[in-house]
Amino acid sequence: MIIIGERVNATRKRIREALVNKDRDLIASEIAMQDAAGAHWIDLNAGTGSGTTQQEMDDICWIIDIALSCTEKNLVLDSADPVILNHAAAHVDGRRPWMLNSINGELTGKTKEIIDLASTHQVPLIALAMDAEGIPATTEKRTDICMAIMEECKSRGMSEQQVFFDPLVLPIATDTKQALVTFSTIAHIKKHLPKAKTTLGLSNVSHGLKKRSLVNGSFLIAAACYGLDSAICDPTRKSVQRALIMGDLLSDRDRYCRKFSRAVRQGLFNEG
Amino acid sequence: MSKTDCLDALEHVIVMGHLDADDEGFDGMMEGTPGALELTRTAIEEEIDPQNILKTFNRAMEIVGKKFESGEYLLPDMLASAECVGDAMEILEPLLTEGTGSEGKGKFLIATVKGDLHDIGKNIVITMLKGAGYKVIDLGIDVPADEILEGIKKYQPDFVGLSALLTTTMIEMEHVVKKIREAGFDGITICIGGAPTSEEFAKKIGANLHCKDAMDAIEKIKTVRRNIS
Ligand code: B12
């Protein structure tokens, strides 16, 4: 499972504060702990939701510089605004592999600009299975959106394997079918776009429930068994680490069950 | 690398189940370092006696068995090491069988008995027998007595070899020997082998020979042929 570490996101209060206070050490430690926990990619998002475009451009460059100095891992440039992403990509300037997060099925001019950026540099791109009307409740609609996105990406010079689809998930608290909708969307993408990758954010599934990390972890394990390639998650959490190990174990991604056995030896599955 | 260093390294990677440079090994740290396949090739290039390479395989699997017994290794870890030896044997086999091909010394039918899935030892014996000029018919693993009997009727072998690695399956050997004798195949020499078997056990169940390893097998069946002719 490809792990995308999600902690450096300005929608989180502590990251927002670190941006305001220019708290370099906090950002560095947030990155380093995900690196140590096995993240393959580190997501960097500087969108506070309230600042100006110029502010976000400055902030993401500041975060990129910290990341370049404290980890060897690849970077995910995270914003919905092509201006920010173009600026961030130019700032990385080939010093590290990177990918883009994200576009959706709206396919506006902005979306196309982001696709063009990914295409120009031939880097991976995360695409969400939603459109202007939001997240569809059915597998069919989500799959249709993915097919349309792929068509646009291909017409702009991207290859199938560069697109990471996030099938998305709606809270099961309000519609108990929704985890299954996500699983079957993964299966559909695998079937119709076999070279494309799938990735998934976890927390929405458990919205409105108790024992959320247990729900999220179980959801990840099941998604892995439907062929999920990647998770956007917090790899420093024990519940996530356990689920990643179990997902790989049960989906034929753990040769001789070694990762599982090692995790057991290291005490990951001990009580408490 | 000296010859002993090379064999020590080979033993270590087999114990770690480290097949080749792409494999992570038991501890997850071995990717990019030479594994059982690379080191077997190195050992051959260093002109180490193939018999010594075989002995290294044996030693390594002995250690693996102990680690399994102590609970340090689980079933898949044991399997990983077994696959190292199995694949390394394919590299070694041409050296052990070269310059023969006459197959004129007699027919040898071999099987691991019912209930038992261990075949590394059996396969080594097969390679050595072929190298020594015997024609070998291998019935595989987990073979019921009736199938062995059918094989005997079909191929009319001079020797039947039975392998068992479990104390629970060695009992099956007694059953097989009995069936062979009851069917009237008195002239066939029955050899047994496998870690839990012994000289006494062979005598007790009416098998002709017990072989502690592949070399022992070659030595012992040689004398049998001389007795006959
Ligand atoms: C590898 C291995 C496995 C592998 C086998 C893979 C394979 N393709 O063979 C796997 C993981 C599948 C396995 C499974 C099991 N195994 Co296991 N296994 C071993 C191990 C570590 C090595 C065996 C081996 O390959 N040795 C190396 C070869 C070269 O030596 P060898 O087989 O003795 O053969 C030589 C001689 O004996 C002789 N020889 C052998 N056969 C014959 C036949 C003839 C005709 C002749 C002439 C000579 C001859 O010549 C050979 C070459 O020199 C042993 C430990 C050990 N020390 O033996 C345990 C061991 C045999 N296994 C054991 C156990 C318990 C099991 C399982 C029950 C585990 C489980 N809980 O499921 C299962 C049983 C599966 C089954 N139904 O058979 C125990 C048996 C204990 C007992 N008292 O019965 C052992 C001793 C481990 C231990 N110390 O606990 N195992």
Side-chain angles (χ1 to χ4, degrees), chain A:
Chain A
M1 185 80 63
I2 301 164
I3 304 167
I4 302 174
E6 69 183 2
R7 290 181 66 97
V8 184
N9 192 310
T11 55
R12 289 178 65 215
K13 190 157 165 270
R14 58 185 321 197
I15 300 295
R16 223 166 30 238
E17 285 170 2
L19 286 174
V20 173
N21 305 329
K22 288 282 170 277
D23 187 347
R24 193 184 182 285
D25 291 347
L26 186 134
I27 301 288
S29 88
E30 290 281 318
I31 293 170
M33 67 201 271
Q34 297 184 91
D35 178 333
H40 301 100
W41 295 79
I42 309 286
D43 192 273
L44 305 177
N45 176 308
T48 55
S50 55
T52 62
T53 302
Q54 187 58 51
Q55 185 65 51
E56 188 175 341
M57 285 202 297
D58 294 346
D59 284 344
I60 196 151
C61 291
W62 180 71
I63 294 179
I64 288 169
D65 287 335
I66 298 170
L68 287 173
S69 70
C70 74
T71 181
E72 308 262 288
K73 300 292 173 72
N74 300 340
L75 307 179
V76 180
L77 309 178
D78 183 354
S79 171
D81 185 347
V83 176
I84 306 285
L85 292 175
N86 266 298
H87 188 73
H91 190 73
V92 175
D93 192 24
R95 287 179 287 171
R96 191 63 59 80
W98 49 277
M99 68 188 275
L100 296 175
N101 184 12
S102 60
I103 59 163
N104 62 42
E106 261 185 277
L107 301 179
T108 57
K110 281 187 171 190
T111 314
K112 290 173 189 172
E113 274 182 65
I114 297 175
I115 297 173
D116 287 342
L117 176 61
S119 175
T120 306
H121 297 275
Q122 290 292 304
V123 298
L125 169 64
I126 296 174
L128 313 180
M130 61 182 285
D131 59 16
E133 282 147 47
I135 305 176
T138 66
T139 299
E140 292 68 30
K141 286 219 177 91
R142 283 190 216 176
T143 315
D144 287 349
I145 290 173
C146 293
M147 301 301 284
I149 291 174
M150 184 54 88
E151 209 159 293
E152 188 66 33
C153 286
K154 278 187 175 161
S155 79
R156 293 181 174 271
M158 288 190 73
S159 60
E160 195 170 309
Q161 60 262 37
Q162 285 170 326
V163 182
F164 279 63
F165 285 108
D166 185 338
L168 301 172
V169 64
L170 289 167
I172 49 174
T174 51
D175 179 1
T176 48
K177 280 195 300 296
Q178 284 305 321
L180 284 179
V181 168
T182 300
F183 300 149
S184 59
T185 305
I186 295 171
H188 265 82
I189 294 169
K190 292 268 138 205
K191 186 163 169 224
H192 297 292
L193 301 167
K195 289 192 205 132
K197 303 272 194 312
T198 49
T199 190
L200 188 56
L202 306 175
S203 49
N204 214 21
V205 70
S206 60
H207 181 84
L209 297 176
K210 288 205 182 293
K211 297 278 178 198
R212 292 192 61 181
S213 54
L214 177 63
V215 177
N216 296 346
S218 307
F219 176 62
L220 174 57
I221 296 169
C225 295
Y226 278 84
L228 183 73
D229 301 288
S230 160
I232 304 173
C233 57
D234 178 356
T236 67
R237 291 181 71 108
K238 205 172 190 179
S239 61
V240 171
Q241 290 169 5
R242 286 177 172 178
L244 287 166
I245 295 283
M246 293 313 294
D248 280 351
L249 179 69
L250 297 179
S251 64
D252 189 22
R253 278 180 269 197
D254 188 6
R255 208 161 116 84
Y256 300 120
C257 315
R258 277 170 175 158
K259 281 187 271 186
F260 172 67
S261 293
R262 273 201 299 277
V264 170
R265 286 199 298 277
Q266 286 158 6
L268 180 62
F269 293 96
N270 293 353
E271 296 302 319

Side-chain angles (χ1 to χ4, degrees), chain B residues 16-222:
Chain B
M16 299 296 277
H18 180 41
L19 180 68
D20 57 22
D22 292 337
D23 178 89
E24 59 177 336
F26 176 77
D27 63 2
M29 314 287 282
M30 301 180 86
E31 223 179 294
T33 63
L37 301 186
E38 289 92 350
L39 287 172
T40 300
R41 287 193 199 98
T42 309
I44 293 170
E45 280 161 23
E46 299 278 327
E47 298 184 339
I48 294 174
D49 182 353
Q51 293 304 329
N52 285 337
I53 302 178
L54 272 186
K55 279 185 196 145
T56 303
F57 292 168
N58 263 316
R59 267 203 317 274
M61 294 316 283
E62 192 104 345
I63 297 170
V64 170
K66 292 206 176 100
K67 285 180 181 285
F68 178 72
E69 212 165 354
S70 76
E72 183 188 351
Y73 274 21
L74 302 178
L75 199 53
D77 303 315
M78 193 150 76
L79 193 63
S81 297
E83 292 190 355
C84 286
V85 173
D87 289 3
M89 268 308 286
E90 283 178 28
I91 300 175
L92 201 58
E93 184 158 352
L95 267 79
L96 295 165
T97 53
E98 77 189 356
T100 52
S102 64
E103 298 192 346
K105 292 202 188 158
K107 261 190 254 172
F108 201 113
L109 183 124
I110 193 165
T112 298
V113 297
K114 185 167 172 243
D116 202 312
L117 306 176
H118 296 83
D119 67 357
I120 296 177
K122 170 183 71 68
N123 292 343
I124 290 178
V125 171
I126 291 173
T127 303
M128 295 296 290
L129 285 170
K130 284 185 185 162
Y134 294 86
K135 180 172 169 52
V136 184
I137 301 119
D138 178 16
L139 297 184
I141 55 175
D142 190 18
V143 186
D146 287 341
E147 237 170 79
I148 296 175
L149 216 57
E150 270 166 42
I152 293 173
K153 284 178 192 151
K154 185 166 168 198
Y155 298 104
Q156 303 284 329
D158 306 283
F159 303 91
V160 170
L162 303 174
S163 184
L165 267 280
L166 301 171
T167 42
T168 48
T169 53
M170 64 189 263
I171 299 156
E172 170 70 10
M173 289 179 154
E174 180 167 9
H175 180 60
V176 177
V177 172
K178 215 169 173 187
K179 279 216 159 177
I180 296 174
R181 297 308 184 208
E182 274 171 12
F185 296 106
D186 294 328
I188 291 179
T189 303
I190 304 176
C191 322
I192 65 163
T197 62
S198 66
E199 205 79 57
E200 287 136 51
F201 180 72
K203 221 170 259 159
K204 183 181 152 237
I205 66 170
N208 304 83
L209 297 172
H210 168 258
C211 311
K212 73 176 187 343
D213 58 33
M215 283 313 283
D216 193 33
I218 303 290
E219 290 306 316
K220 284 186 175 151
I221 64 175
K222 236 195 253 165

